[in-house]
Amino acid sequence: MERLRSSPLHANISTALDKHLESIHMVQARRKDEIVSASSRQRHGPPRCQDERVVLALAAALRALCLATRKVRTVLWCAFQMTLPK
């Protein structure tokens, strides 16, 4: 979009994209933690408190990803509107 516009876009656009990518990485990390926790639980029996913390951390990461996705969609729509010819 910056090439089409021949000028840089607002800094908030790149910030929103960076936060979205960070949220994706966080969800991936929490999901890996959940998988490790589930596989160790099958071997050693169910420690419930630890599992709940892992699942709650994953839920919080998914919530953050949801919010970041909404923001990045809005930001990209605005950037697209600024890129269109008048």
Side-chain angles (χ1 to χ4, degrees):
M1 283 188 245
E2 289 177 337
R3 283 189 225 156
L4 292 173
R5 227 178 133 204
S6 301
S7 66
L9 294 170
H10 197 272
N12 287 348
I13 294 170
S14 61
T15 302
L17 289 169
D18 290 340
K19 284 186 180 182
H20 187 252
L21 184 61
E22 181 182 322
S23 296
I24 290 170
H25 291 307
M26 186 62 68
V27 168
Q28 288 174 338
R30 296 297 174 242
R31 180 67 178 128
K32 286 179 187 175
D33 293 344
E34 183 192 25
I35 290 169
V36 167
S37 175
S39 66
S40 68
R41 183 182 66 218
Q42 289 177 348
R43 285 187 234 140
H44 300 99
R48 295 294 300 166
C49 188
Q50 181 72 15
D51 288 344
E52 290 176 4
R53 281 191 228 131
V54 171
V55 171
L56 289 175
L58 177 61
L62 284 170
R63 183 177 187 275
L65 177 61
C66 180
L67 294 173
T69 301
R70 281 189 218 152
K71 185 168 186 167
V72 83
R73 283 176 52 201
T74 303
V75 164
L76 288 175
W77 181 83
C78 291
F80 174 68
Q81 294 299 317
M82 291 186 321
T83 305
L84 291 175
K86 295 182 181 184

